Amino acid sequence: MSLLSQFQQLDTCLTNTRDFWQRVAFDHLTLPFSVQLNQFLLSLDDDEVARLDADQARLYDVFSDYIPSVDLLAGLTALPYNEKTRSVLPFWLSNGIKGRKLTQLQDFVSHVPEQQLPVLEWCAGKGHLGRLMAHLGAPSVHSIELQSALCEQGAHSAKQQELNVHFSCANVLTDDTNAYFKPQQHAVALHACGALHQTFMHRATAHQCEKISLSPCCYHLFTEPTYQPMSEAAKHSALHLSHSDMKLALQETVTAAPRIATVRRKEVTWRLGFDALRRDCTGSTEYISVPSVNKSIFSGDFSSFCCWAAAQKDITLPSDIDYAAYLEQGEQRKRVTDRIELVRHVFRRALEIWLVLDRGLYLQQAGYDVSLSEFCEKQLTPRNVLIQATRQ
């Protein structure tokens, strides 16, 4: 299937199912779907919801009985994964890179080997990726990074390791980075967020870099409130994506540690419990978010959290609040939001692949042969899509 055909079919599917995924779960006090689907969702206990949420294939299978076109999603979102042999790295090169991150880097490098062209590494951090590519044969690497401290650390490591890597400190969204891009070059970007990787693509195609390899991430960051399509096909789509919609594409995650998951459950429950209290105090019928806060607040009690949250929103609370009752409302609301999110999560990979295909089609329009694949297993990172483009 061509990228355009895949995009058009996926676009049609997502457009026809907008009522299921284009929602903000916290806005709803009750389940908003059909009677049949609502009954099924309420029949699931919390453990079943969690198990389903962790298994995208089962989500497709289970919800195909309730939502049209879901049976097409597995095929439309499938990307090839060709497992590559990871190069054995010397201790001095891998030292200081945490285990899962190191494996991601090894898998990424195994899919984008370079021994002929100079490499441009975008949003490089300490330059771990660039140093791996230099060690494995890239003739030179130019690493671009915002934070000067990271540039200094990366340059120091490269010098110690006798690798041909040099750094430039730049804000890639505001500085003129055109001079860094050259036609005879392999431009790479691993997990550059939102406008960071879009700017990278614009610059690399404008300067006709011979090869472009990237794994996009966090599609909403540093971007306009409404998604600005890159390809002509996406510009003609009926979909209009908000930041909330784009965040849905990121909600397939590697399982969090039990302690982190427990705190997260308590945080959501308390925020929803406070929302019920706020609605009663103000007469508001809309969900209003409360700012982020240090997680230590959730080791206290619910009443203290409510007092803090009320202060953030300039709300004066009455003295005779039944906090236990509002906490119970929070727990009931969480059951509703979890089940709305479960339905939305049926489409999370589909939305991510829609965004990836928009990028692939943009590169095709710019005169590149483009392939999409997965460079590692989802257990390492769900952001495992690799876009590779070679100038025609």
Side-chain angles (χ1 to χ4, degrees):
M1 189 190 313
S2 69
L3 298 189
L4 180 59
S5 176
Q6 186 177 0
F7 177 85
Q8 289 172 333
Q9 292 183 54
L10 193 55
D11 183 66
T12 298
C13 181
L14 286 170
T15 300
N16 292 340
T17 55
R18 279 178 292 189
D19 285 347
F20 295 95
W21 60 266
Q22 206 162 36
R23 295 179 177 274
V24 178
F26 280 14
D27 286 346
H28 297 275
L29 302 180
T30 59
L31 291 172
F33 307 115
S34 68
V35 172
Q36 184 183 24
L37 179 52
N38 289 346
Q39 288 176 341
F40 169 70
L41 292 168
L42 291 173
S43 73
L44 301 172
D45 64 34
D46 291 346
D47 289 340
E48 288 173 317
V49 170
R51 285 194 295 271
L52 267 177
D53 194 47
D55 190 337
Q56 192 67 41
R58 281 200 65 214
L59 282 176
Y60 294 147
D61 184 50
V62 167
F63 284 96
S64 63
D65 291 337
Y66 302 95
I67 303 174
S69 304
V70 167
D71 58 325
L72 303 176
L73 290 181
L76 291 175
T77 59
L79 297 178
Y81 171 55
N82 298 315
E83 188 172 3
K84 306 283 187 178
T85 302
R86 294 177 188 137
S87 297
V88 178
L89 302 175
F91 172 78
W92 51 263
L93 185 59
S94 60
N95 188 32
I97 310 175
K98 294 182 180 179
R100 183 178 287 172
K101 180 63 175 178
L102 176 61
T103 309
Q104 288 178 31
L105 287 166
Q106 288 177 286
D107 284 353
F108 187 83
V109 169
S110 72
H111 284 80
V112 295
E114 185 55 70
Q115 296 185 332
Q116 296 180 338
L117 293 172
V119 170
L120 176 71
E121 181 190 13
W122 192 252
C123 298
K126 296 179 184 178
H128 294 316
L129 172 62
R131 287 187 288 114
L132 261 64
M133 294 189 74
H135 172 72
L136 294 172
S140 66
V141 177
H142 186 184
S143 299
I144 315 301
E145 167 56 36
L146 170 64
Q147 299 183 54
S148 59
L150 298 183
C151 290
E152 291 169 5
Q153 292 176 56
H156 177 73
S157 295
K159 184 177 180 180
Q160 277 192 324
Q161 296 161 0
E162 299 182 346
L163 296 171
N164 189 9
V165 180
H166 68 282
F167 282 75
S168 291
C169 186
N171 183 330
V172 300
L173 294 180
T174 60
D175 295 345
D176 185 355
T177 57
N178 284 290
Y180 301 147
F181 291 87
K182 297 175 175 58
Q184 299 303 313
Q185 190 180 60
H186 187 174
V188 300
L190 173 59
H191 293 162
C193 294
L196 300 178
H197 72 250
Q198 289 179 300
T199 301
F200 165 80
M201 294 172 67
H202 292 318
R203 297 279 191 277
T205 54
H207 292 273
Q208 297 188 317
C209 292
E210 187 167 325
K211 292 182 184 178
I212 302 170
S213 301
L214 72 149
S215 179
C217 188
C218 301
Y219 302 89
H220 63 290
L221 288 182
F222 317 114
T223 64
E224 297 294 325
T226 301
Y227 180 64
Q228 305 299 304
M230 299 186 71
S231 68
E232 289 302 315
K235 289 175 183 177
H236 288 90
S237 171
L239 293 181
H240 300 283
L241 305 180
S242 66
H243 276 186
S244 175
D245 298 327
M246 287 184 276
K247 288 178 184 178
L248 173 60
L250 308 172
Q251 290 180 9
E252 186 172 8
T253 60
V254 176
T255 303
R259 179 184 60 81
I260 296 173
T262 298
V263 172
R264 176 60 180 160
R265 284 194 295 271
K266 180 183 283 190
E267 177 178 1
V268 172
T269 300
W270 283 18
R271 286 179 179 275
L272 289 169
F274 171 73
D275 183 63
L277 171 59
R278 180 195 58 79
R279 290 179 190 232
D280 285 349
C281 291
T282 65
S284 170
T285 58
E286 295 181 355
Y287 179 80
I288 298 176
S289 62
V290 175
S292 298
V293 63
N294 191 298
K295 302 304 180 190
S296 62
I297 196 172
F298 299 106
S299 62
D301 55 52
F302 177 60
S303 60
S304 297
F305 171 78
C306 288
C307 291
W308 170 83
Q312 306 307 303
K313 295 300 178 181
D314 293 322
I315 298 171
T316 301
L317 297 177
S319 57
D320 57 344
I321 297 172
D322 185 348
Y323 286 104
Y326 283 109
L327 183 58
E328 173 63 24
Q329 287 190 50
E331 291 169 350
Q332 292 303 315
R333 285 273 303 280
K334 187 175 185 301
R335 292 193 76 242
V336 171
T337 59
D338 283 351
R339 283 150 183 78
I340 295 173
E341 285 297 305
L342 186 67
V343 172
R344 295 182 74 234
H345 288 176
V346 174
F347 300 92
R348 58 192 170 191
R349 188 63 165 181
L351 193 55
E352 179 167 22
I353 299 302
W354 187 96
L355 290 162
V356 167
L357 286 165
D358 181 30
R359 284 146 179 77
L361 290 169
Y362 170 83
L363 291 169
Q364 279 190 345
Q365 287 172 202
Y368 286 79
D369 292 322
V370 179
S371 66
L372 306 180
S373 62
E374 296 179 353
F375 71 89
C376 70
E377 296 180 347
K378 284 195 290 186
Q379 287 77 6
L380 281 179
T381 173
R383 307 284 76 74
N384 65 349
V385 175
L386 173 62
I387 305 172
Q388 291 180 285
T390 304
R391 192 176 68 234
Q392 292 174 357

